[in-house]
Amino acid sequence: AALFDTTPAAYQQPIQQDQPQSPAQTTPAPVYTEPSPVYATPENAAEVPLSAKKNTLRNVFIAAGALIAAGVCVYFAAVYRPVTLNEYDQIIFTQKNNKDKLVTGNLALTLRDVKAVQKFIREKFPAFDFEEKGYVTDDYRNELLIKEFNTNPEVLSIYMGGIAGMAGKSQVYAGLVIFGNELLGYFFSIDQEFSDTSGFEYYSGLYLKTSQYDGKITYIKLRKFLYTDINEPYWVIIWDDDVPVKSRRALLKDFLNSLRYTKVFKNFAMDFLKDVYTGIEKNQTIEDIVDWYN
């Protein structure tokens, strides 16, 4: 109506015979008020001056354009937000101060995170072949990976002596394994490190093993399996091949005795640790090695 200077015919609802009709309404006495600015509407389009119609139409287009522009900006900021690699070769997605307590919410990997990392790798490491390295890049399989990682992680690390710069923080990040100028691989992690640099994290995409340093281990890497008959999980320590079997019992006992005084131990369920299988001897659990009550 504002465009063509026409007034649409008023719509009249058909009256059915069996419906009661509303009583006639009396018109209230007119009350004088100060004249107000006139705006074009479908009801008064014919009486509104042409200049008001043009201004109204212009304002509508400006408002619509602003909304569209804002929506496009939000979309591109969310999907194509820039990522940066920190000094530890990590891309941080979410980071929260944990105050030495587990952060139980708002820590999850998203499709946006995964796509941002893959885009970053294509730009910074164009020689990296995703398929050759065994990585998936299509949205469907990435969604499956993300769902499995967030709800059913398979690899868990419990560590002492983490990164001091990350102490007291819980975060979701991607880690890049870089050798010189070459990218060897990447992984995703949900990590919770406490103020004493002890912590734990779940991994996806790269299975690191137990670390041995100067005759001691600084963390244990666990992988989850399922009992086939009862469909319940159990965890097994993943040992490096260069850690002699005869040394594993002493290394693990020393590690666990030190772990019991850390912040991560206070945040972990003792029953969980007791039930972890060590792989040192058949069906042997951590509870068989360490007396937690001494």
Side-chain angles (χ1 to χ4, degrees), residues 158-218:
I158 305 173
Y159 61 85
M160 298 182 295
I163 299 174
M166 300 299 175
K169 295 180 174 62
S170 298
Q171 58 192 351
V172 183
Y173 75 91
L176 274 60
V177 182
I178 301 172
F179 183 75
N181 295 324
E182 182 183 1
L183 176 66
L184 303 181
Y186 66 96
F187 60 93
F188 300 103
S189 171
I190 295 179
D191 176 34
Q192 305 212 44
E193 182 174 326
F194 305 105
S195 60
D196 61 352
T197 70
S198 68
F200 72 94
E201 58 185 314
Y202 293 104
Y203 283 98
S204 173
L206 188 67
Y207 295 164
L208 301 175
K209 295 185 178 181
T210 302
S211 171
Q212 184 181 15
Y213 177 73
D214 289 341
K216 293 185 178 183
I217 54 175
T218 57

Side-chain angles (χ1 to χ4, degrees), residues 50-83:
L50 183 58
S51 60
K53 297 175 188 176
K54 290 181 178 178
N55 290 338
T56 300
L57 187 60
R58 181 195 61 190
N59 293 338
V60 168
F61 282 135
I62 291 174
L67 287 174
I68 293 172
V72 171
C73 290
V74 170
Y75 173 80
F76 278 93
V79 177
Y80 299 103
R81 62 175 178 173
V83 296

